[in-house]
Structure formats: structure tokens, C-alpha cells
Amino acid sequence: MQRRHFLQAASASLLPAGAALAQSYPSKPIRLIVPFPAGGATDLFARTLSQKMGEKLGNALVVDNKPGAGGAIGSDLAAKAPADGYTLLLATTSTHSVGPSINPKLPYDTVRDFTPIAHVGNAPSIMLVPNSSPARSVKEWIELARKNPGKFNYASSGNGTVVQLTAELFKSMAGVFVTHIPYKGTALAMPDLMSGKVDLLFDSLPTGLPFVRDGRLRALAVTSLKRSPLVPDLPPVADTLPGFESVTWFGLYGPKGLPADLVARVNTAAAQAITDPEVREKLDKLGIEPMTSTPAQFSAMVAQDAAKWKKIIVERKITND
């Protein structure tokens, strides 16, 4: 009997560290860093997802907002955390696709210093124009802009933001010259857009759609590659400009070196949570389409997305200044 116990103990001691850790994981609450302020879309998504993920994992996910520097402060904290599965990051297009090209002096490498876990959501934007605009479609708007180079303008939430990049991608693919007017957030641009002082804005679904539904603005299209189930009546810009796509993605990362068994545990919990009917209903209200993926699929998607935005940033000489 003593010999059997000894052999069992010896065998357990030879288990890979990751496997042994995964057997007891999670034995305490998990910190989910959100690198943006409380109350924003990323924060609301995190709180919706974390509750259900905690139920699936058997321990709580505690949202920890660490905003600043376009998401770099929170991302840096996650990159430098122990690779034990107790610190995760809810990253976005801004932090891992756009950030490296806009700010080459980031204190971390978005590829080498993180372990991809899961792609969990996409948020398309909508192309908004004033009700006074003569354009009733993307094609008509492009034709107007081509006939009047330099006469039209577009608003953004600031230099180097996804809102600006989306408009610049549109300009590049449509072959139009449209002046950029940066604001400190799209909410501040809305009065000028409604009055006709601004001609165009690519805004997120949750913040832009209410203005369309109450008749204050006109929506011409969505920026997803195909029609969005959230606004099925709106055609995609890609119907006019084939290949045009701009969505804000959301995904889970861990620090580099996160054991594969822990990655699998978190990925499975995320997939179970994101497909839960209660979660999907809440995400619909946020204008976010639930997504699932393997870590490899998530990594490949981010690499492709980052390359697309880097090309636009370099070609259009975009900075965050």
C-alpha cells in the first residue's frame, strides 16, 4: 500500500507543469483587464461576457479597467503579468491591429508578448450622412464626392482612431478627396452632422443607430463585409466597393507563455458564454456580433487586420498627433 501511494505521488510530480496547473484552474478569481474606461463599449462587453464565463469556469472574472494611451497602459499590464491564467486582456482593433503602427514605441510587442486565446466579437459601424444630403446610397455619395473634390468632409473621433482609418480606407478605395475634421469623440460631431456642417461619419452601431431610428440622420450602409444581422436592411459598403470591411473586433489574450491547457480552458468557456442566449441578447443591444474561434484562427485574423491598417496608416500618413 505504501509503495502504491509512493508511485502515485511520484507520477503526479512528473506531470507537466501546465497540466497540473490546469487541473486546479481556476482556484481564485481571474482578473480581466479592460484597457479602456468604464461605461464604454469594450467595458460593457467585458462585463456581459465575464459573468457567464465565470459561471463556465467555476470562478469569477473580475473586470479591471486600466484606461490610457489608447489602450496601451492596460495592455502593458497584461503583457507583464504572470502566465498563470489569472490575468487576461480584452483587446480590440485599437490595441492590437492599429496600435503598433500608430505608436511604434509601445512598451510591448503585440505578437511576441501575448498569447492569443479567442476572438469573441465584432462591432461593425454605419455610414451616416445628414438628412439634407442628396445621396441615398453609397454609390450616389461617391459620385457626388468625385464631382466635387475637396468640397465634402468627414468627421472622426480623433486622429489615429478606427473611425478615421475607416473613412480613409473608404476614400482610398473610392478614389475621392474628402477633408478630415477630427473631434474629441463622435458624440461631439453629431450636432454638426445633423446640421449639415459635416457630410459623413462612420460611427459605431450602438451610438449611431439611435440617430437613424429617430429620424435625425440617414444611414447608407454598414461596414461589415456582408449584411449585419443587427441591421439587416442596410447594405454593406462592400456592395459598392468590393472588399471594403471595417469592424472593431474584440478578443481575449493572456501573457506570453500561457500554457496550452489553460488557453483551451478559457477558449472553451468563452465559446460557451458567447453562444449563451442571454449573452447574445445583451450583445445585440450593444451592437456587437458574437464570434468564436480557435486561438490560431484568432491570431491569423489579427495579423491580416493589422496588415490592412498598417498599409492605410503608411499610405495616408496617419498619426495620432
Side-chain angles (χ1 to χ4, degrees):
M1 184 67 72
Q2 289 180 339
R3 175 178 173 80
R4 186 189 310 157
H5 288 163
F6 173 79
L7 289 174
Q8 289 174 342
S11 298
S13 68
L14 294 175
L15 281 172
L21 182 62
Q23 287 180 351
S24 60
Y25 175 83
S27 61
K28 61 181 181 180
I30 300 166
R31 179 192 191 194
L32 178 59
I33 294 177
V34 174
F36 299 102
T42 308
D43 174 69
L44 295 174
F45 184 22
R47 294 179 190 279
T48 300
L49 183 64
S50 62
Q51 182 178 356
K52 193 62 64 173
M53 276 188 66
E55 293 175 11
K56 303 300 181 183
L57 286 168
N59 219 314
L61 265 73
V62 180
V63 174
D64 186 9
N65 296 94
K66 296 294 182 183
I73 291 176
S75 298
D76 190 41
L77 288 172
K80 293 177 171 56
D84 57 8
Y86 290 100
T87 298
L88 304 175
L89 173 71
L90 184 61
T92 72
T93 304
S94 296
T95 62
H96 281 60
S97 289
V98 175
S101 295
I102 286 290
N103 183 10
K105 295 182 180 180
L106 287 174
Y108 51 81
D109 185 288
T110 53
V111 176
R112 292 195 303 266
D113 294 335
F114 294 89
T115 300
I117 299 175
H119 180 194
V120 290
N122 280 342
S125 295
I126 49 178
M127 182 179 177
L128 299 172
V129 298
N131 286 329
S132 59
S133 173
R136 297 280 174 174
S137 68
V138 176
K139 182 180 179 181
E140 289 181 1
W141 201 95
I142 292 173
E143 288 174 350
L144 284 170
R146 285 177 177 170
K147 292 176 182 176
N148 301 276
K151 180 180 177 181
F152 289 87
N153 58 48
Y154 76 88
S156 83
S157 51
N159 292 319
T161 61
V162 173
V163 178
Q164 183 195 9
L165 296 182
T166 301
E168 291 297 327
L169 176 64
F170 177 83
K171 287 170 57 179
S172 176
M173 294 182 68
V176 295
F177 171 51
V178 184
T179 304
H180 175 213
I181 303 178
Y183 289 77
K184 293 182 178 180
T186 58
L188 296 177
M190 285 302 184
D192 287 347
L193 184 64
M194 287 185 285
S195 70
K197 292 179 182 178
V198 168
D199 301 301
L200 176 66
L201 172 67
F202 288 93
D203 198 19
S204 65
L205 268 176
T207 56
L209 195 57
F211 290 89
V212 177
R213 286 177 172 163
D214 65 15
R216 288 182 287 173
L217 290 172
R218 183 186 306 148
L220 300 184
V222 290
T223 62
S224 47
L225 196 59
K226 299 179 180 179
R227 286 180 184 258
S228 168
L230 305 176
V231 280
D233 293 338
L234 279 181
V237 175
D239 279 2
T240 304
L241 300 175
F244 181 93
E245 182 182 22
S246 176
V247 297
T248 295
W249 58 257
F250 301 88
L252 292 169
Y253 282 95
K256 67 178 179 181
L258 191 64
D261 287 345
L262 297 191
V263 172
R265 284 288 307 278
V266 177
N267 180 283
T268 298
Q272 292 172 338
I274 208 73
T275 54
D276 181 89
E278 181 183 352
V279 171
R280 294 180 76 96
E281 182 180 355
K282 290 180 179 178
L283 294 183
D284 279 352
K285 294 178 181 178
L286 291 175
I288 296 172
E289 299 176 14
M291 303 294 293
T292 59
S293 75
T294 65
Q297 289 170 336
F298 177 38
S299 180
M301 182 278 293
V302 175
Q304 183 178 16
D305 195 53
K308 175 180 75 176
W309 292 127
K310 181 178 181 179
K311 183 174 183 290
I312 289 295
I313 289 166
V314 172
E315 287 181 353
R316 316 296 285 193
K317 297 180 174 59
I318 297 171
T319 69
N320 57 2
D321 297 329

